[in-house]
Amino acid sequence: MEGEAGERVDLTFLRRQLGAAFLAAFLCAAGLPLTAPPADAAPGVPRVSDIRAWTNEIYTRVAIDTGEEVSWQASTLRADPARALPPRIFIDIRGAGIRDGILRKPVEVRNGLLRQVRAGRFDRDTVRVVIDLERESTYRVFALPGPFRIIVDIDGAGEIPVPPTSPDTVAPPGPVAAVPSPENPPQGTPPVSTSNPSAGPAVPFATPSIPPSVESPRAAASPPSPARKHRVRVMIDPGHGGKDPGAIGPTGLKEKDVVLAIGRRIREKLSRSGEFDVRMTRDEDVFIPLEERTAMANKGAVDIFVSLHINASRNRKAEGFSTYVLSRGASNREDLELAARENGVPVGKLQGVKFIIDDMFTGARKNESLRLAKTVNDAVVRHVSTRYPEAQSLGLKQAPFYVLVGARMTAVLVEASFISNAREESRLRDPSCLDGIADGVVEAVRYYGQNGILAHSDF
Ligand SMILES: [Zn+2]
């Protein structure tokens, strides 16, 4: 698994310790006063405990961990050539402390898109995280609970999708929501001074994050793909792992083990022909945060992302296979509870989240994701049915799964039957059932790879 090994190494955060004088210069440049820091946050008080980044030359995801929920605001500052300052995105986090190690160690990137991510105390109540860009770029920011973290997705300006030309035939995306809103600058708002960032909203960067037409039904269809120069890249994401077992069946079968076994089968089957470049977010029993799984797919510029899960319900009779795409809400209580469980948060938290879905990519790719999800679900049920004729299809569904938020490619999440159902749990112990599930995913990905991505402008 050279690809995976490489992926893990690449995910190591690139940090460099700066000397005190150098750091002081940066703090001043960002408008971070050099006042004596207060004592660090008391127990139970939010604290910026880590800053993580996944990056390539056209995409970067930054995750800021605070543990507890915080009030935050993101904005931008234009380059200031007179002071040799690059364009910056900054996030002010109120009522939070910061781990001393982060103050001393900016996350160094320097990949043509980002220079570095640094943080400091702006005042006694505010931690400011500053992302120094190499060039003005589109970005979006959202927060995820459980534990609380703020996610910043930054795109190279050259990667904005071309407004699609084919009509929407499946379903339009919901209304665009982006906070902050770089694409709709307030008229006449002056640039924010670095010395007075509380003066008002910053002027967003000039590059629009979302083409104005993206909200129209026409724009919801898929953008035309450029001629493909690489094998179709597929990221298989076996859910859960390590400390997170996922759902557990009546006799103790763990979701994390089943989906890993299925994922390995898919990789093996899909790799045989040489047509596909297949990767996995995990190939062992390890815990990987949801936002990191998405970041791995984006960083790897994969074409298809398939997250593998096994459903569970308090109703032990619940059964069947379903495949999901991302949406802001769920159509019923069961799907909402499922999404909350998969996201590792209570339902109340899920509903309370100001849910920011990446409309630029999720919207453009939603129709493709819907098509793939239906193809996957039909094929999985058909394959499993050859041995288990009673296998049920619950069909194509939509729910707010964090692991799909911000995915830049066609992305689906499979719930391959119910581990809470004794009969289905027993079936999941049968290798031929796991093969059937894998065969279904492989058939759908193959079909989609040959007839979807490669020629989807014909739809
Ligand atoms: Zn799961």
Side-chain angles (χ1 to χ4, degrees), residues 87 102 105 181 185 217 252 406:
I102 296 175
K105 292 185 180 178
S181 176

Side-chain angles (χ1 to χ4, degrees), residues 184-440:
N184 289 311
Q187 296 301 311
T189 307
V192 168
S193 157
T194 53
S195 61
N196 183 15
S198 62
V203 170
F205 291 145
T207 308
S209 171
I210 301 167
S213 62
V214 80
E215 289 189 62
S216 71
R218 171 186 168 86
S222 311
S225 285
R228 184 169 303 284
K229 293 188 176 66
H230 61 78
R231 288 185 298 163
V232 176
R233 299 185 187 121
V234 182
M235 181 70 84
I236 304 297
D237 173 42
H240 313 279
K243 67 183 182 184
D244 172 15
I248 300 176
T251 68
L253 188 63
K254 292 176 181 156
E255 178 185 0
K256 68 173 183 178
D257 297 326
V258 178
V259 292
L260 181 56
I262 296 170
R264 286 173 172 158
R265 281 169 161 78
I266 294 171
R267 180 183 61 197
E268 198 274 320
K269 292 169 189 286
L270 208 48
S271 300
R272 278 181 201 156
S273 69
E275 282 177 80
F276 294 89
D277 173 355
V278 189
R279 308 161 190 200
M280 291 174 75
T281 53
R282 69 176 181 98
D283 188 25
E284 54 191 329
D285 186 17
V286 293
F287 175 78
I288 301 175
L290 298 174
E291 68 274 15
E292 180 169 342
R293 298 166 187 259
T294 327
M296 290 167 83
N298 286 348
K299 181 175 181 295
V302 307
D303 303 295
I304 297 174
F305 180 74
V306 180
S307 192
L308 299 172
H309 294 262
I310 309 295
N311 213 330
S313 172
R314 284 170 299 182
N315 172 11
R316 292 300 170 98
K317 291 182 178 173
E319 62 179 335
F321 294 82
S322 46
T323 303
Y324 288 78
V325 299
L326 178 66
S327 70
R328 286 189 182 78
S331 54
N332 55 50
R333 179 75 187 180
E334 287 73 27
D335 285 346
L336 200 62
E337 287 180 355
L338 168 66
R341 181 172 61 74
E342 299 290 18
N343 293 340
V345 298
V347 170
K349 282 269 187 191
L350 186 65
Q351 290 173 309
V353 171
K354 193 168 186 179
F355 207 74
I356 306 302
I357 291 178
D358 179 352
D359 299 277
M360 182 169 149
F361 292 100
T362 305
R365 291 289 178 192
K366 186 159 186 177
N367 283 351
E368 293 178 354
S369 298
L370 287 164
R371 289 187 184 98
L372 177 63
K374 183 172 188 325
T375 311
V376 164
N377 211 63
D378 290 349
V380 165
V381 172
R382 182 157 28 81
H383 279 273
V384 173
S385 296
T386 59
R387 187 173 178 90
Y388 295 96
E390 73 280 9
Q392 299 285 321
S393 172
L394 300 176
L396 167 63
K397 296 186 163 200
Q398 303 188 38
F401 292 103
Y402 292 168
V403 74
L404 301 179
V405 175
R408 300 174 58 160
M409 70 295 301
T410 302
V412 302
L413 185 146
V414 182
E415 294 282 353
S417 74
F418 282 73
I419 206 167
S420 50
N421 177 308
R423 186 173 63 170
E424 298 206 335
E425 184 200 29
S426 166
R427 195 196 289 160
L428 289 168
R429 290 186 185 278
D430 176 2
S432 73
C433 175
L434 304 187
D435 272 325
I437 295 168
D439 285 337

Side-chain angles (χ1 to χ4, degrees), residues 2 6 17 25 92 107 114 124 147 215 227 256 383 399 410 416 435 438:
E2 36 136 348
Q17 177 140 6
D92 283 343
V107 179
L114 243 69
R124 288 192 71 84
E215 289 189 62
K256 68 173 183 178
H383 279 273
T410 302
D435 272 325

Side-chain angles (χ1 to χ4, degrees), residues 166-191:
S166 57
D168 173 33
T169 54
V170 180
V176 170
V179 175
S181 176
E183 70 279 12
N184 289 311
Q187 296 301 311
T189 307

Side-chain angles (χ1 to χ4, degrees), residues 11-18 50-55 60-64 99 101-110 114-119 129-132:
L11 288 170
T12 304
F13 311 135
L14 305 171
R15 289 191 164 138
R16 189 181 66 177
Q17 177 140 6
L18 297 179
D50 203 1
I51 296 176
R52 300 170 286 140
W54 303 269
T55 185
T60 294
R61 168 166 281 191
V62 176
I64 305 161
R99 186 168 60 82
I102 296 175
L103 292 171
R104 292 194 301 269
K105 292 185 180 178
V107 179
E108 192 83 5
V109 179
R110 296 193 186 277
L114 243 69
R115 291 188 184 177
Q116 64 172 2
V117 185
R118 56 204 164 89
V129 176
V130 181
I131 300 170
D132 289 325

